[in-house]
Amino acid sequence: MEKNKTLYKTFTELALKVVLSKGMDLSEAKKVVIQKFENHPFEKMIIGLIDDKELNEKNVNTLLYDCISVCEDFGPDRDYITLEIVLSRINDIPTRKKGTNEVSEKVLKKFVDFVEVINRRIDAPPLFNMVLEGRSIIEWMSIFSIYPIIPKHKASKNRPVLLMPPYLGNDLSTTFVRKYLKSVGFKTYKWDLGVNTINSKSLPKLIEKLDDIYEKHQEKVSLVGWSGGGIFAKIIANRYPEKVEQLVTIGSPVWGVKNMKTPLIKILEFLRGKHLKERNAKFLKELEMIPEVPITCIYTKTDGLLPWKHCMEAETLRNDIQNIEVFGSHCGMGANASVLLTVANSLNANITGKKPQGFIPKIESLFFPEFWEQKGFSKFTNLFLMKYGA
């Protein structure tokens, strides 16, 4: 929260100054900026910051570079897109002064350009993480003995879920995820397109499959995609939000793929014979958009194939977007008990509006990084008082 408070304190000063440039007084400007943050997860904190503001004597350019400096200090972050959207909304406000929206347009463009530069600095997974991917063999072998004891929280009966496998994977890759979702009450569907090579030619067939499932159930379909499968799932959710219940991605690069540093990109370009940037410009542009459906992104910081920051969506944009960290490798996520629990619990929570309750869910929290990131012994005493994990 301290990071957010520092960033939003600087940003709200900039936003107020931009609104003032449109001919409003400070009181009106405060109301406008607060309105642009409506339904923001930190709305109360932001209102408090804005209410305390007095007219800043700094000019717009100084405030812009102050804000950019804070972003540079914090480093790459998908959540900056929330600030871009707020500036875009402010830019759309009609000016009361003669002339154009020159100030707001320049601020928006410069901010977007600076953030793009900052977000290009996400490093490739370290060599240590790549070596650790070897543990995925153990994860896949151990799931056979672990699976029977994974808790099963019953979900809404027969709600449809379409699952999409990772890059160079097929329906066998999602076997345990599908099996687990079936066991708790969901109706699962394979993608049935063989090996996933992340080729945009697969989209029409996937969309046709979505239509068939939607017509059969007469209700929206939840999409679950692992790694490259999450890329397809996100694009479909962007195109057809009226047919998609929600989106769950598992170790999927959901933004910034154009400049992503990973050995997988080189392999993909080698197999395609063209640079990814050249061949899939439209595809990648669609991936940057954020679907108007509930979103859950599951990621691991020890991912050895993809930079984990690319696997997180902007939680600060809406209350129905969440990122959940799990322990494990990238290649083993399809056989990761924490992933199975998170997928099922997130799907059900977004449908029913209720999270699993009771003793077992609290014990499950021990297997998620969120629990262990808490400081002190109090995390154990709080175990029976608070909720963690999925």
Side-chain angles (χ1 to χ4, degrees), residues 346-358:
S346 297
L347 287 173
N348 199 43
N350 284 328
I351 291 172
T352 65
K354 299 178 181 178
K355 293 185 178 181
Q357 302 292 325

Side-chain angles (χ1 to χ4, degrees), residues 57-311:
E57 294 182 0
K58 294 181 180 179
N59 62 39
V60 170
N61 285 330
T62 301
L63 290 171
L64 173 61
Y65 287 106
D66 284 348
C67 188
I68 291 299
S69 295
V70 174
C71 293
E72 286 183 326
D73 290 340
F74 288 135
D77 199 317
R78 173 60 164 170
D79 278 328
Y80 297 144
I81 194 173
T82 302
L83 307 184
E84 293 179 10
I85 291 171
V86 170
L87 286 177
S88 179
R89 290 170 180 169
I90 290 173
N91 184 55
D92 290 338
I93 299 171
T95 182
R96 293 182 181 178
K97 292 183 177 180
K98 292 182 180 180
T100 65
N101 290 321
E102 185 178 357
V103 172
S104 62
E105 288 173 354
K106 284 185 176 180
V107 168
L108 174 60
K109 185 179 186 308
K110 287 182 179 179
F111 186 81
V112 170
D113 289 345
F114 274 115
V115 165
E116 183 178 352
V117 172
I118 293 170
N119 280 339
R120 284 180 183 175
R121 298 173 188 163
I122 299 177
D123 294 327
L127 180 61
F128 180 70
N129 282 11
M130 295 176 66
V131 172
L132 276 180
E133 283 298 311
R135 64 188 156 151
S136 63
I137 298 173
I138 299 173
E139 289 171 320
W140 279 100
M141 292 177 63
S142 62
I143 189 63
F144 291 95
S145 57
I146 294 174
Y147 182 83
I149 62 174
I150 300 175
K152 296 178 176 61
H153 308 290
K154 289 299 177 180
S156 301
K157 190 175 182 181
N158 287 330
R159 296 297 285 262
V161 183
L162 174 59
L163 293 101
M164 304 174 202
Y167 175 52
L168 298 183
N170 56 23
D171 286 320
L172 288 175
S173 307
T174 60
T175 297
F176 282 101
V177 183
R178 285 185 286 109
K179 182 179 180 181
Y180 185 75
L181 291 180
K182 285 180 184 178
S183 72
V184 297
F186 289 100
K187 175 64 177 177
T188 63
Y189 291 88
K190 303 176 183 178
W191 92 318
D192 290 323
L193 294 177
V195 175
N196 182 1
T197 58
I198 317 182
N199 193 317
S200 57
K201 292 180 181 179
S202 299
L203 269 173
K205 294 180 180 179
L206 278 172
I207 293 167
E208 184 178 340
K209 192 170 187 68
L210 173 69
D211 289 339
D212 290 342
I213 300 170
Y214 180 81
E215 290 299 321
K216 179 180 178 180
H217 287 264
Q218 291 296 301
E219 60 185 348
K220 293 183 178 181
V221 182
S222 295
L223 303 180
V224 176
W226 173 16
S227 192
I231 292 177
F232 282 120
K234 188 179 181 186
I235 289 176
I236 293 172
N238 267 318
R239 291 188 185 182
Y240 302 99
E242 73 280 3
K243 294 183 179 180
V244 175
E245 181 78 47
Q246 60 185 302
L247 169 67
V248 177
T249 62
I250 306 169
S252 299
V254 293
W255 70 281
V257 173
K258 182 179 178 181
N259 299 301
M260 186 170 65
K261 302 178 182 70
T262 167
L264 283 182
I265 293 294
K266 297 298 182 183
I267 296 172
L268 184 57
E269 290 177 345
F270 175 78
L271 293 175
R272 296 283 185 83
K274 287 187 178 181
H275 288 296
L276 192 63
K277 297 179 185 179
E278 298 172 0
R279 182 159 182 170
N280 288 312
K282 181 178 180 293
F283 194 77
L284 296 177
K285 185 177 180 180
E286 282 190 274
L287 187 61
E288 292 298 310
M289 299 166 60
I290 301 176
E292 292 295 328
V293 301
I295 301 170
T296 301
C297 295
I298 304 169
Y299 69 99
T300 170
K301 288 185 178 179
T302 54
D303 196 312
L305 298 183
L306 298 174
W308 58 270
K309 285 191 175 183
H310 285 290
C311 300

